Coordinates of all heavy atoms in Angstrom, one line a residue:
D36 N 30.1 -1.1 -34.2 CA 31.0 -2.3 -34.3 C 30.9 -3.0 -35.7 O 31.9 -3.4 -36.2 CB 30.6 -3.2 -33.2 CG 31.3 -4.5 -33.3 OD1 32.7 -4.5 -33.3 OD2 30.8 -5.6 -33.4
L37 N 29.7 -2.9 -36.3 CA 29.4 -3.7 -37.4 C 29.6 -2.7 -38.7 O 29.4 -3.0 -39.9 CB 28.0 -4.2 -37.6 CG 27.9 -5.5 -36.7 CD1 26.5 -5.9 -36.6 CD2 28.7 -6.7 -37.2
N38 N 29.9 -1.3 -38.4 CA 30.2 -0.4 -39.4 C 28.9 -0.2 -40.3 O 29.1 -0.2 -41.6 CB 31.4 -0.8 -40.2 CG 32.1 0.5 -40.7 OD1 31.9 1.5 -40.2 ND2 32.7 0.5 -41.8
L39 N 27.7 -0.2 -39.8 CA 26.5 -0.3 -40.6 C 26.0 1.3 -40.7 O 26.4 2.2 -39.9 CB 25.4 -0.9 -39.9 CG 25.6 -2.4 -39.6 CD1 24.5 -3.0 -39.0 CD2 25.9 -3.1 -40.9
N40 N 25.3 1.6 -41.8 CA 24.8 2.9 -41.9 C 23.4 3.1 -41.3 O 22.4 3.3 -42.2 CB 24.8 3.3 -43.5 CG 24.7 4.8 -43.7 OD1 24.7 5.6 -42.7 ND2 24.9 5.4 -44.8
Y41 N 23.5 3.0 -40.1 CA 22.2 3.1 -39.4 C 22.4 4.0 -38.2 O 23.6 4.2 -37.7 CB 21.7 1.7 -38.7 CG 21.1 0.7 -39.5 CD1 21.7 -0.1 -40.2 CD2 19.6 0.6 -39.5 CE1 21.1 -1.1 -41.0 CE2 18.9 -0.4 -40.3 CZ 19.7 -1.3 -41.0 OH 19.1 -2.2 -41.9
I42 N 21.3 4.7 -37.7 CA 21.4 5.3 -36.4 C 20.2 4.9 -35.6 O 19.2 4.7 -36.1 CB 21.4 6.9 -36.6 CG1 21.4 7.6 -35.4 CG2 20.1 7.3 -37.5 CD1 22.8 8.1 -35.0
Y43 N 20.5 4.8 -34.3 CA 19.3 4.5 -33.3 C 19.1 5.6 -32.4 O 19.9 6.1 -31.6 CB 19.8 3.1 -32.6 CG 18.7 2.6 -31.6 CD1 18.2 1.3 -32.1 CD2 18.3 3.1 -30.5 CE1 17.2 0.7 -31.3 CE2 17.3 2.6 -29.7 CZ 16.7 1.3 -30.2 OH 15.7 0.7 -29.3
V44 N 17.8 6.1 -32.4 CA 17.4 7.3 -31.5 C 16.2 6.8 -30.7 O 15.7 5.8 -30.8 CB 17.1 8.4 -32.4 CG1 18.3 8.9 -33.2 CG2 15.9 8.1 -33.4
S45 N 16.1 7.7 -29.7 CA 14.8 7.6 -28.9 C 13.8 8.6 -29.1 O 14.2 9.7 -29.2 CB 15.2 7.5 -27.4 OG 15.7 8.7 -26.9
F46 N 12.5 8.3 -28.9 CA 11.3 9.3 -29.0 C 10.5 9.2 -27.8 O 10.0 8.1 -27.5 CB 10.6 8.9 -30.4 CG 11.3 9.2 -31.6 CD1 11.5 8.2 -32.5 CD2 11.7 10.5 -32.0 CE1 12.0 8.3 -33.8 CE2 12.4 10.7 -33.2 CZ 12.5 9.6 -34.1
N47 N 10.3 10.3 -27.2 CA 9.4 10.4 -26.0 C 8.1 10.8 -26.6 O 7.9 11.9 -27.0 CB 9.9 11.4 -25.0 CG 9.2 11.5 -23.8 OD1 8.1 10.8 -23.6 ND2 9.7 12.0 -22.8
I48 N 7.1 9.8 -26.7 CA 5.9 9.9 -27.3 C 4.8 10.2 -26.3 O 4.6 9.4 -25.4 CB 5.4 8.7 -28.1 CG1 6.6 8.3 -29.1 CG2 4.2 8.8 -28.9 CD1 6.7 9.0 -30.4
L49 N 4.1 11.3 -26.4 CA 2.8 11.4 -25.5 C 1.9 10.4 -25.8 O 1.6 10.1 -27.0 CB 2.2 12.8 -25.7 CG 3.1 13.9 -25.2 CD1 2.3 15.3 -25.5 CD2 3.3 13.8 -23.6
P50 N 1.2 9.7 -24.8 CA 0.3 8.7 -25.2 C -0.9 9.0 -26.1 O -1.1 8.2 -27.0 CB -0.3 8.3 -23.7 CG 0.8 8.7 -22.8 CD 1.5 9.9 -23.4
K51 N -1.2 10.3 -26.2 CA -2.2 10.7 -27.0 C -1.8 10.8 -28.5 O -2.6 10.8 -29.4 CB -2.9 12.0 -26.6 CG -1.9 13.2 -26.7 CD -2.5 14.6 -26.5 CE -1.5 15.5 -26.7 NZ -1.7 16.9 -26.8
N52 N -0.5 10.7 -28.7 CA 0.1 10.7 -30.0 C 0.5 9.4 -30.6 O 1.1 9.4 -31.8 CB 1.2 11.8 -30.1 CG 0.9 13.1 -29.9 OD1 -0.3 13.6 -30.2 ND2 1.7 13.9 -29.3
L53 N 0.2 8.4 -29.8 CA 0.7 7.0 -30.2 C 0.3 6.6 -31.7 O 1.2 6.2 -32.4 CB 0.3 5.9 -29.2 CG 0.8 4.5 -29.5 CD1 2.4 4.5 -29.4 CD2 0.3 3.5 -28.6
R54 N -0.9 6.8 -31.9 CA -1.5 6.4 -33.3 C -0.7 7.2 -34.3 O -0.3 6.5 -35.4 CB -2.9 6.6 -33.3 CG -3.5 6.1 -34.6 CD -5.0 6.4 -34.7 NE -5.6 5.5 -35.7 CZ -6.7 5.1 -35.8 NH1 -7.5 5.3 -34.8 NH2 -7.2 4.3 -36.8
N55 N -0.5 8.5 -34.3 CA 0.1 9.2 -35.1 C 1.6 8.8 -35.3 O 2.2 8.9 -36.4 CB 0.0 10.7 -34.9 CG -1.4 11.3 -35.2 OD1 -2.0 10.7 -36.2 ND2 -1.7 12.4 -34.6
A56 N 2.2 8.6 -34.2 CA 3.6 8.1 -34.1 C 3.8 6.8 -35.0 O 4.7 6.7 -35.8 CB 4.1 7.7 -32.8
V57 N 2.8 5.8 -34.9 CA 2.7 4.7 -35.7 C 2.7 5.0 -37.3 O 3.4 4.4 -38.1 CB 1.7 3.6 -35.2 CG1 1.7 2.4 -36.3 CG2 2.0 3.2 -33.8
K58 N 1.8 5.8 -37.6 CA 1.8 6.4 -39.0 C 3.0 7.0 -39.4 O 3.6 6.8 -40.5 CB 0.7 7.4 -39.1 CG -0.8 6.9 -39.0 CD -1.7 8.0 -39.2 CE -3.2 7.4 -39.1 NZ -4.2 8.5 -38.9
G59 N 3.7 7.7 -38.5 CA 5.0 8.2 -38.7 C 6.1 7.2 -39.1 O 7.0 7.4 -39.9
F60 N 6.1 6.1 -38.4 CA 7.1 5.0 -38.7 C 7.0 4.7 -40.3 O 8.0 4.5 -40.9 CB 6.7 3.7 -37.9 CG 6.8 3.8 -36.5 CD1 6.0 3.0 -35.6 CD2 7.6 4.8 -35.8 CE1 5.9 3.1 -34.3 CE2 7.5 4.9 -34.5 CZ 6.7 4.1 -33.7
K61 N 5.8 4.5 -40.8 CA 5.6 4.2 -42.1 C 5.9 5.4 -43.0 O 6.6 5.2 -44.0 CB 4.1 3.8 -42.3 CG 3.6 2.5 -41.6 CD 2.2 2.2 -42.1 CE 1.7 0.9 -41.2 NZ 0.6 0.4 -41.8
A62 N 5.4 6.6 -42.7 CA 5.7 7.7 -43.5 C 7.2 8.0 -43.7 O 7.7 8.5 -44.6 CB 5.0 8.9 -43.0
L63 N 7.9 7.9 -42.5 CA 9.3 8.2 -42.5 C 10.3 7.0 -42.7 O 11.5 7.1 -42.7 CB 9.7 8.9 -41.1 CG 8.9 10.3 -40.8 CD1 9.2 10.6 -39.3 CD2 9.3 11.3 -41.7
N64 N 9.7 5.8 -43.0 CA 10.3 4.7 -43.2 C 11.4 4.3 -42.1 O 12.6 4.1 -42.3 CB 11.2 4.8 -44.5 CG 11.5 3.4 -45.0 OD1 11.1 2.4 -44.7 ND2 12.7 3.5 -45.8
I65 N 10.9 4.4 -41.0 CA 11.7 4.0 -39.7 C 11.8 2.4 -39.8 O 10.7 1.9 -39.8 CB 11.1 4.6 -38.5 CG1 11.6 6.2 -38.5 CG2 11.9 3.9 -37.2 CD1 10.8 6.9 -37.4
K66 N 13.0 1.8 -39.9 CA 13.1 0.4 -40.2 C 12.9 -0.5 -39.0 O 12.3 -1.7 -39.2 CB 14.5 0.2 -40.7 CG 14.8 0.8 -41.9 CD 14.0 -0.2 -43.0 CE 14.1 0.4 -44.4 NZ 13.1 -0.2 -45.3
G67 N 13.2 0.0 -37.8 CA 13.0 -1.0 -36.6 C 12.5 -0.1 -35.5 O 13.2 1.1 -35.3
I68 N 11.7 -0.6 -34.6 CA 11.2 0.2 -33.5 C 11.2 -0.7 -32.3 O 10.6 -1.7 -32.2 CB 9.8 0.8 -33.6 CG1 9.8 1.5 -35.1 CG2 9.3 1.5 -32.5 CD1 9.1 0.9 -36.2
N69 N 11.8 -0.3 -31.1 CA 11.6 -0.9 -29.8 C 10.6 -0.2 -29.1 O 10.4 1.0 -29.3 CB 12.9 -0.9 -29.0 CG 13.9 -2.1 -29.4 OD1 15.0 -1.9 -29.5 ND2 13.4 -3.3 -29.5
V70 N 9.8 -0.9 -28.3 CA 8.6 -0.4 -27.6 C 8.9 -0.5 -26.1 O 9.0 -1.8 -25.7 CB 7.3 -1.0 -28.1 CG1 6.1 -0.3 -27.4 CG2 7.2 -0.8 -29.6
T71 N 8.7 0.4 -25.3 CA 8.7 0.2 -23.9 C 7.6 0.9 -23.3 O 6.7 1.4 -23.9 CB 10.1 0.7 -23.3 OG1 10.2 0.4 -21.9 CG2 10.4 2.2 -23.4
L72 N 7.5 1.0 -21.8 CA 6.4 1.5 -21.1 C 6.1 2.9 -21.5 O 7.0 3.7 -21.7 CB 6.8 1.5 -19.6 CG 7.0 0.0 -19.0 CD1 7.3 0.2 -17.5 CD2 5.6 -0.8 -19.0
P73 N 4.8 3.2 -21.6 CA 3.6 2.4 -21.3 C 2.9 1.9 -22.6 O 1.7 1.6 -22.5 CB 2.8 3.5 -20.7 CG 3.0 4.8 -21.5 CD 4.5 4.6 -21.9
F74 N 3.7 1.6 -23.7 CA 3.0 1.3 -24.9 C 3.0 -0.1 -25.4 O 2.6 -0.5 -26.5 CB 3.8 2.2 -26.0 CG 3.6 3.6 -25.7 CD1 4.9 4.5 -25.9 CD2 2.5 4.3 -25.5 CE1 4.8 5.8 -25.7 CE2 2.5 5.7 -25.2 CZ 3.6 6.4 -25.3
K75 N 3.7 -1.0 -24.8 CA 3.9 -2.4 -25.1 C 2.6 -3.1 -25.4 O 2.6 -3.9 -26.3 CB 4.6 -3.2 -24.0 CG 6.1 -2.9 -24.0 CD 6.8 -3.7 -22.9 CE 8.4 -3.6 -23.1 NZ 9.0 -4.5 -22.2
Q76 N 1.5 -2.8 -24.7 CA 0.2 -3.4 -25.0 C -0.6 -2.5 -26.0 O -1.2 -3.0 -26.9 CB -0.5 -3.7 -23.7 CG 0.1 -4.7 -22.9 CD -0.4 -4.7 -21.4 OE1 -1.0 -3.9 -21.0 NE2 -0.1 -5.8 -20.8

Side-chain angles (χ1 to χ4, degrees):
D36 175 57
L37 289 167
N38 209 26
L39 302 178
N40 199 358
Y41 279 84
I42 181 93
Y43 188 109
V44 294
S45 67
F46 293 118
N47 190 345
I48 309 278
L49 290 177
K51 66 173 185 172
N52 291 332
L53 181 62
R54 187 185 194 146
N55 282 336
V57 175
K58 286 184 185 163
F60 303 151
K61 296 188 182 191
L63 298 172
N64 194 27
I65 293 178
K66 286 290 174 195
I68 302 104
N69 279 134
V70 184
T71 189
L72 292 175
F74 302 130
K75 286 183 174 187
Q76 291 166 344

